[in-house]
Amino acid sequence: MDPVIIVGAGPVGLTLALALARQEVPSVVLDEGPGKDEPRLARTVVLREDTAALMERLTGVPLAEAGARWAGWRAMRRKQVMREVKFDDAEAERAGDTNPAPLHIAQHVLTGALRAALAGQPLVKVAVDSRLDAIEQEPSGVTAHTRGPNGTWWRGSYLVGCDGPRSTVRKLQDIRFPGRTAVERHAVAALRAELPWDGQALLHRMPPWRTSGPSGGEVTARPLPDGVWRLDWLLPPGKDLVTPEMLVARIRETLAGWTDGPTPPYELLDTGVHTVHHRLARRWRVGRVFLAGDAAHCLGTLGTHGLEEGLRDADNLAWKLAPAWHHGPREALLDSYQAERRAAVAARLRAADQALPLLRGGGGLRAVVPGSARGHDALLMDGHLGHGAIGAPGTYADSPLSPGPLEGEVPVGTPPGAQVKDVRVTAEDGSFVRLRDRLGRGALLVVLIAPGTEVWDRKHWVSAGVMPRLAAAVTALPYPAELLVAGSYPGAAAHSVLLIRPDGHLVTALSGVRPADLYSAAEAALGGPVKAQAGAAAKAGAAAGSR
């Protein structure tokens, strides 16, 4: 079987290659560059809990040591603090106002960790200085041609375009990419300085020293390691040139305004202009060709981060390509990639587009709607902290892979289609691991909620109670599955059974061991019956049900 061809060696393409290798699928990464990235501290990414865990799984690197986990977040308007969140703060936790601390990391550091992980991966070949210029599809595979010093023809089973907003793959497949250009522009500076908010990120709207620009201006400060900060200033609409003199003036007045005195010492490390576009490809799949990341969508205004959605694309697609590569195409499963991911990104784009006129349209609305300014600040906070329709990762409740009504289905703290919470579980070898560490291995996860098991050696309960019957039901599933046991899970009663996809999204939760329901849910999650294993699985299922 030919490898998967991945076009583009940015974070999304490298993530996809590692995710496929974790499921024993070979790939070729076509990198049009020299195979290394220029250090740019003004180009960073904010990773939420799920994507940070994904990166650490794939790289094996504790990225928190290479980035910064914020101590908190505050929102200010003029001189007033509108809202403040301290991550892992006990009082805020009791009030239900906390969120796991985001991880802020320079993009070249993240890409470097991914490249280092690939260097020791025999299933991945990276072809540098290889620019795609042709794609040919046929029923049995894909052929791609690259030009450059190493120009040649490449043969693959599938091809995934992770080649950015100007995607050659998308253009060669004649896929439309409608949307809006330059929705927002930000001047960006990375500098080393001492700011009053040690380790806390800040969103400051209408700072008192500035009255020009949309809504009086807006600046965001986000800490990085070693006393470095990334500052973003929202620019007025238009295409006015951002000159070095203008940027230095912004830096000096902002730092002076925050410290209530003369401009404190600072070291300017990097600058740039970040332009946000909102675009969504009409199709994400054409036969054996797929799109992912910026090739499929552009998103980034109001604090949202498009790279995160690209990483989720790679995670979603990898586990669906793996069974197709190993066992033959499963069209419903492959089609679900577009259905799930495009809908999730489209929902965030709609939410951001609906909020933009309110947030950037001037002060008229605040004059007639009491409290609306506070609501605007909350909307922006949602985007930056990963909450609400603007910022929260999408769920797949309406996925074509969702099972129909099941007799034994029960609600838990995670709705079907959403990312599961990361809890401690006992693996089959008796070791204690984190649930998210078991994701992405090409297997479904079945988790039994059994209070008390965490304090007993596995040998004392593995053959007791419902475990033998559940183990038989798991063996009967139409796809490889791993049985795990957790002492608790948010909102789950004792003896609940969770079925989880390889990308960490909940398929269903059942009350007790229900082999028929478990089998039906697993089959639906795989896009329908698995003919090659259906007979053996049915027999095993009948045996499990009779015990």
Side-chain angles (χ1 to χ4, degrees), residues 137-141 155 288 329:
Q137 279 202 68
E138 54 192 76
S140 60
R155 179 67 180 174
R288 289 178 174 266

Side-chain angles (χ1 to χ4, degrees), residues 305-323:
H305 297 275
L307 176 56
E308 269 208 315
E309 292 296 357
L311 300 178
R312 293 180 181 120
D313 294 343
D315 196 25
N316 185 289
L317 183 57
W319 83 266
K320 295 170 180 177
L321 284 174

Side-chain angles (χ1 to χ4, degrees), residues 41 44-45 62-70 102-109 190-193 198-199 222-230 267 269:
L41 286 173
T44 64
V45 58
L63 292 178
E65 298 177 5
R69 287 198 180 273
W70 301 335
L103 174 64
H104 188 206
I105 187 169
Q107 187 166 314
H108 72 270
V109 173
L191 50 89
R192 184 175 283 111
D198 187 24
R222 290 172 285 195
L224 285 162
D226 303 322
V228 176
W229 292 79
R230 170 175 167 166
E267 179 186 1
L269 304 172

Side-chain angles (χ1 to χ4, degrees), residues 53-72:
L54 170 64
M55 293 295 95
E56 293 192 346
R57 275 199 310 274
L58 295 178
T59 63
V61 175
L63 292 178
E65 298 177 5
R69 287 198 180 273
W70 301 335

Side-chain angles (χ1 to χ4, degrees), residues 254-288:
T254 300
L255 296 183
W258 282 340
T259 54
D260 291 325
T263 302
Y266 70 93
E267 179 186 1
L268 184 58
L269 304 172
D270 192 18
T271 62
V273 175
H274 175 51
T275 303
V276 176
H277 310 289
H278 278 183
R279 294 188 176 275
L280 187 65
R282 292 290 191 193
R283 292 180 292 168
W284 291 28
R285 180 190 182 192
V286 179
R288 289 178 174 266

